[in-house]
PDB file of all heavy atoms in Angstrom:
ATOM      1  N   PRO B 522     -19.130  49.236  40.195  1.00 91.00           N
ATOM      2  CA  PRO B 522     -18.503  50.511  39.823  1.00 91.00           C
ATOM      3  C   PRO B 522     -19.501  51.537  39.286  1.00 91.00           C
ATOM      4  O   PRO B 522     -20.655  51.205  38.981  1.00 91.00           O
ATOM      5  CB  PRO B 522     -17.503  50.111  38.739  1.00 91.00           C
ATOM      6  CG  PRO B 522     -17.972  48.796  38.225  1.00 91.00           C
ATOM      7  CD  PRO B 522     -18.722  48.123  39.330  1.00 91.00           C
ATOM      8  N   LEU B 523     -19.019  52.758  39.174  1.00 91.00           N
ATOM      9  CA  LEU B 523     -19.835  53.872  38.702  1.00 91.00           C
ATOM     10  C   LEU B 523     -19.653  54.031  37.194  1.00 91.00           C
ATOM     11  O   LEU B 523     -18.539  53.919  36.685  1.00 91.00           O
ATOM     12  CB  LEU B 523     -19.394  55.142  39.425  1.00 91.00           C
ATOM     13  CG  LEU B 523     -20.259  56.391  39.228  1.00 91.00           C
ATOM     14  CD1 LEU B 523     -21.590  56.239  39.953  1.00 91.00           C
ATOM     15  CD2 LEU B 523     -19.528  57.633  39.764  1.00 91.00           C
ATOM     16  N   TRP B 524     -20.747  54.294  36.501  1.00 94.00           N
ATOM     17  CA  TRP B 524     -20.722  54.499  35.050  1.00 94.00           C
ATOM     18  C   TRP B 524     -21.315  55.855  34.721  1.00 94.00           C
ATOM     19  O   TRP B 524     -22.320  56.257  35.314  1.00 94.00           O
ATOM     20  CB  TRP B 524     -21.541  53.416  34.343  1.00 94.00           C
ATOM     21  CG  TRP B 524     -21.050  52.036  34.641  1.00 94.00           C
ATOM     22  CD1 TRP B 524     -21.244  51.327  35.797  1.00 94.00           C
ATOM     23  CD2 TRP B 524     -20.253  51.203  33.791  1.00 94.00           C
ATOM     24  NE1 TRP B 524     -20.616  50.113  35.722  1.00 94.00           N
ATOM     25  CE2 TRP B 524     -20.001  50.001  34.492  1.00 94.00           C
ATOM     26  CE3 TRP B 524     -19.731  51.351  32.502  1.00 94.00           C
ATOM     27  CZ2 TRP B 524     -19.243  48.959  33.952  1.00 94.00           C
ATOM     28  CZ3 TRP B 524     -18.990  50.301  31.961  1.00 94.00           C
ATOM     29  CH2 TRP B 524     -18.747  49.125  32.677  1.00 94.00           C
ATOM     30  N   GLU B 525     -20.694  56.547  33.776  1.00 94.00           N
ATOM     31  CA  GLU B 525     -21.270  57.804  33.286  1.00 94.00           C
ATOM     32  C   GLU B 525     -22.161  57.476  32.098  1.00 94.00           C
ATOM     33  O   GLU B 525     -21.829  56.626  31.267  1.00 94.00           O
ATOM     34  CB  GLU B 525     -20.168  58.781  32.868  1.00 94.00           C
ATOM     35  CG  GLU B 525     -19.233  59.190  34.014  1.00 94.00           C
ATOM     36  CD  GLU B 525     -19.955  59.939  35.122  1.00 94.00           C
ATOM     37  OE1 GLU B 525     -20.993  60.586  34.860  1.00 94.00           O
ATOM     38  OE2 GLU B 525     -19.479  59.866  36.287  1.00 94.00           O
ATOM     39  N   VAL B 526     -23.306  58.153  32.016  1.00 95.00           N
ATOM     40  CA  VAL B 526     -24.298  57.818  30.996  1.00 95.00           C
ATOM     41  C   VAL B 526     -24.482  58.992  30.038  1.00 95.00           C
ATOM     42  O   VAL B 526     -24.619  60.145  30.461  1.00 95.00           O
ATOM     43  CB  VAL B 526     -25.652  57.480  31.652  1.00 95.00           C
ATOM     44  CG1 VAL B 526     -26.677  57.102  30.590  1.00 95.00           C
ATOM     45  CG2 VAL B 526     -25.488  56.363  32.673  1.00 95.00           C
ATOM     46  N   PHE B 527     -24.491  58.687  28.748  1.00 96.00           N
ATOM     47  CA  PHE B 527     -24.702  59.684  27.693  1.00 96.00           C
ATOM     48  C   PHE B 527     -25.878  59.227  26.834  1.00 96.00           C
ATOM     49  O   PHE B 527     -25.923  58.066  26.436  1.00 96.00           O
ATOM     50  CB  PHE B 527     -23.453  59.816  26.816  1.00 96.00           C
ATOM     51  CG  PHE B 527     -22.216  60.216  27.585  1.00 96.00           C
ATOM     52  CD1 PHE B 527     -21.527  59.279  28.348  1.00 96.00           C
ATOM     53  CD2 PHE B 527     -21.755  61.518  27.552  1.00 96.00           C
ATOM     54  CE1 PHE B 527     -20.393  59.633  29.062  1.00 96.00           C
ATOM     55  CE2 PHE B 527     -20.620  61.885  28.266  1.00 96.00           C
ATOM     56  CZ  PHE B 527     -19.937  60.946  29.023  1.00 96.00           C
ATOM     57  N   VAL B 528     -26.805  60.120  26.559  1.00 96.00           N
ATOM     58  CA  VAL B 528     -27.998  59.749  25.794  1.00 96.00           C
ATOM     59  C   VAL B 528     -28.112  60.612  24.544  1.00 96.00           C
ATOM     60  O   VAL B 528     -27.918  61.832  24.600  1.00 96.00           O
ATOM     61  CB  VAL B 528     -29.270  59.905  26.666  1.00 96.00           C
ATOM     62  CG1 VAL B 528     -30.529  59.710  25.838  1.00 96.00           C
ATOM     63  CG2 VAL B 528     -29.255  58.908  27.823  1.00 96.00           C
ATOM     64  N   ARG B 529     -28.402  59.966  23.414  1.00 95.00           N
ATOM     65  CA  ARG B 529     -28.708  60.694  22.178  1.00 95.00           C
ATOM     66  C   ARG B 529     -30.219  60.842  22.122  1.00 95.00           C
ATOM     67  O   ARG B 529     -30.944  59.847  22.063  1.00 95.00           O
ATOM     68  CB  ARG B 529     -28.212  59.895  20.968  1.00 95.00           C
ATOM     69  CG  ARG B 529     -28.411  60.611  19.638  1.00 95.00           C
ATOM     70  CD  ARG B 529     -28.425  59.668  18.448  1.00 95.00           C
ATOM     71  NE  ARG B 529     -27.171  58.974  18.154  1.00 95.00           N
ATOM     72  CZ  ARG B 529     -26.075  59.547  17.643  1.00 95.00           C
ATOM     73  NH1 ARG B 529     -26.091  60.823  17.355  1.00 95.00           N
ATOM     74  NH2 ARG B 529     -24.994  58.843  17.417  1.00 95.00           N
ATOM     75  N   ALA B 530     -30.700  62.065  22.197  1.00 93.00           N
ATOM     76  CA  ALA B 530     -32.143  62.292  22.288  1.00 93.00           C
ATOM     77  C   ALA B 530     -32.835  61.963  20.969  1.00 93.00           C
ATOM     78  O   ALA B 530     -33.950  61.450  20.954  1.00 93.00           O
ATOM     79  CB  ALA B 530     -32.425  63.733  22.686  1.00 93.00           C
ATOM     80  N   ASN B 531     -32.181  62.257  19.881  1.00 92.00           N
ATOM     81  CA  ASN B 531     -32.769  62.022  18.562  1.00 92.00           C
ATOM     82  C   ASN B 531     -31.664  61.807  17.554  1.00 92.00           C
ATOM     83  O   ASN B 531     -30.539  62.276  17.756  1.00 92.00           O
ATOM     84  CB  ASN B 531     -33.602  63.229  18.123  1.00 92.00           C
ATOM     85  CG  ASN B 531     -35.070  63.032  18.408  1.00 92.00           C
ATOM     86  OD1 ASN B 531     -35.660  62.013  18.023  1.00 92.00           O
ATOM     87  ND2 ASN B 531     -35.668  63.977  19.116  1.00 92.00           N
ATOM     88  N   ARG B 532     -32.015  61.184  16.452  1.00 93.00           N
ATOM     89  CA  ARG B 532     -31.029  61.040  15.378  1.00 93.00           C
ATOM     90  C   ARG B 532     -30.562  62.426  14.952  1.00 93.00           C
ATOM     91  O   ARG B 532     -31.357  63.347  14.884  1.00 93.00           O
ATOM     92  CB  ARG B 532     -31.646  60.324  14.187  1.00 93.00           C
ATOM     93  CG  ARG B 532     -31.887  58.886  14.494  1.00 93.00           C
ATOM     94  CD  ARG B 532     -32.471  58.101  13.358  1.00 93.00           C
ATOM     95  NE  ARG B 532     -32.493  56.702  13.769  1.00 93.00           N
ATOM     96  CZ  ARG B 532     -31.423  55.909  13.724  1.00 93.00           C
ATOM     97  NH1 ARG B 532     -30.283  56.353  13.235  1.00 93.00           N
ATOM     98  NH2 ARG B 532     -31.502  54.674  14.153  1.00 93.00           N
ATOM     99  N   GLY B 533     -29.284  62.548  14.661  1.00 93.00           N
ATOM    100  CA  GLY B 533     -28.773  63.841  14.227  1.00 93.00           C
ATOM    101  C   GLY B 533     -28.184  64.654  15.366  1.00 93.00           C
ATOM    102  O   GLY B 533     -27.511  65.645  15.122  1.00 93.00           O
ATOM    103  N   LEU B 534     -28.449  64.246  16.615  1.00 94.00           N
ATOM    104  CA  LEU B 534     -27.895  64.982  17.760  1.00 94.00           C
ATOM    105  C   LEU B 534     -26.745  64.191  18.385  1.00 94.00           C
ATOM    106  O   LEU B 534     -26.632  62.982  18.195  1.00 94.00           O
ATOM    107  CB  LEU B 534     -28.983  65.206  18.821  1.00 94.00           C
ATOM    108  CG  LEU B 534     -30.209  66.005  18.380  1.00 94.00           C
ATOM    109  CD1 LEU B 534     -31.229  66.056  19.511  1.00 94.00           C
ATOM    110  CD2 LEU B 534     -29.798  67.414  17.971  1.00 94.00           C
ATOM    111  N   SER B 535     -25.919  64.895  19.144  1.00 95.00           N
ATOM    112  CA  SER B 535     -24.828  64.224  19.860  1.00 95.00           C
ATOM    113  C   SER B 535     -25.360  63.506  21.090  1.00 95.00           C
ATOM    114  O   SER B 535     -26.417  63.855  21.614  1.00 95.00           O
ATOM    115  CB  SER B 535     -23.806  65.257  20.329  1.00 95.00           C
ATOM    116  OG  SER B 535     -23.286  65.955  19.247  1.00 95.00           O
ATOM    117  N   HIS B 536     -24.584  62.556  21.574  1.00 96.00           N
ATOM    118  CA  HIS B 536     -24.864  61.989  22.891  1.00 96.00           C
ATOM    119  C   HIS B 536     -24.513  63.055  23.931  1.00 96.00           C
ATOM    120  O   HIS B 536     -23.462  63.684  23.844  1.00 96.00           O
ATOM    121  CB  HIS B 536     -24.008  60.752  23.143  1.00 96.00           C
ATOM    122  CG  HIS B 536     -24.451  59.550  22.369  1.00 96.00           C
ATOM    123  ND1 HIS B 536     -24.167  59.366  21.036  1.00 96.00           N
ATOM    124  CD2 HIS B 536     -25.186  58.471  22.743  1.00 96.00           C
ATOM    125  CE1 HIS B 536     -24.685  58.226  20.624  1.00 96.00           C
ATOM    126  NE2 HIS B 536     -25.315  57.657  21.635  1.00 96.00           N
ATOM    127  N   VAL B 537     -25.394  63.232  24.896  1.00 95.00           N
ATOM    128  CA  VAL B 537     -25.184  64.256  25.919  1.00 95.00           C
ATOM    129  C   VAL B 537     -25.139  63.580  27.290  1.00 95.00           C
ATOM    130  O   VAL B 537     -25.916  62.653  27.560  1.00 95.00           O
ATOM    131  CB  VAL B 537     -26.326  65.297  25.876  1.00 95.00           C
ATOM    132  CG1 VAL B 537     -26.221  66.270  27.045  1.00 95.00           C
ATOM    133  CG2 VAL B 537     -26.294  66.044  24.557  1.00 95.00           C
ATOM    134  N   HIS B 538     -24.226  64.031  28.123  1.00 94.00           N
ATOM    135  CA  HIS B 538     -24.110  63.452  29.465  1.00 94.00           C
ATOM    136  C   HIS B 538     -25.372  63.718  30.268  1.00 94.00           C
ATOM    137  O   HIS B 538     -25.856  64.847  30.316  1.00 94.00           O
ATOM    138  CB  HIS B 538     -22.903  64.071  30.185  1.00 94.00           C
ATOM    139  CG  HIS B 538     -22.665  63.468  31.527  1.00 94.00           C
ATOM    140  ND1 HIS B 538     -22.739  64.196  32.681  1.00 94.00           N
ATOM    141  CD2 HIS B 538     -22.381  62.196  31.886  1.00 94.00           C
ATOM    142  CE1 HIS B 538     -22.497  63.391  33.710  1.00 94.00           C
ATOM    143  NE2 HIS B 538     -22.276  62.182  33.260  1.00 94.00           N
ATOM    144  N   VAL B 539     -25.951  62.675  30.880  1.00 93.00           N
ATOM    145  CA  VAL B 539     -27.182  62.874  31.652  1.00 93.00           C
ATOM    146  C   VAL B 539     -27.007  62.554  33.137  1.00 93.00           C
ATOM    147  O   VAL B 539     -27.840  62.928  33.954  1.00 93.00           O
ATOM    148  CB  VAL B 539     -28.353  62.029  31.101  1.00 93.00           C
ATOM    149  CG1 VAL B 539     -28.755  62.522  29.727  1.00 93.00           C
ATOM    150  CG2 VAL B 539     -28.004  60.544  31.069  1.00 93.00           C
ATOM    151  N   GLY B 540     -25.942  61.833  33.490  1.00 91.00           N
ATOM    152  CA  GLY B 540     -25.772  61.479  34.895  1.00 91.00           C
ATOM    153  C   GLY B 540     -24.974  60.196  34.997  1.00 91.00           C
ATOM    154  O   GLY B 540     -24.284  59.822  34.044  1.00 91.00           O
ATOM    155  N   SER B 541     -25.092  59.544  36.137  1.00 90.00           N
ATOM    156  CA  SER B 541     -24.316  58.320  36.316  1.00 90.00           C
ATOM    157  C   SER B 541     -25.171  57.273  36.998  1.00 90.00           C
ATOM    158  O   SER B 541     -26.303  57.537  37.401  1.00 90.00           O
ATOM    159  CB  SER B 541     -23.062  58.615  37.132  1.00 90.00           C
ATOM    160  OG  SER B 541     -23.431  59.097  38.405  1.00 90.00           O
TER     161      SER B 541
END
Side-chain angles (χ1 to χ4, degrees):
Chain B
L523 189 71
W524 302 76
E525 298 297 333
V526 181
F527 301 78
V528 172
R529 183 202 294 288
N531 263 308
R532 289 181 173 280
L534 300 176
S535 301
H536 286 78
V537 173
H538 184 242
V539 293
S541 61

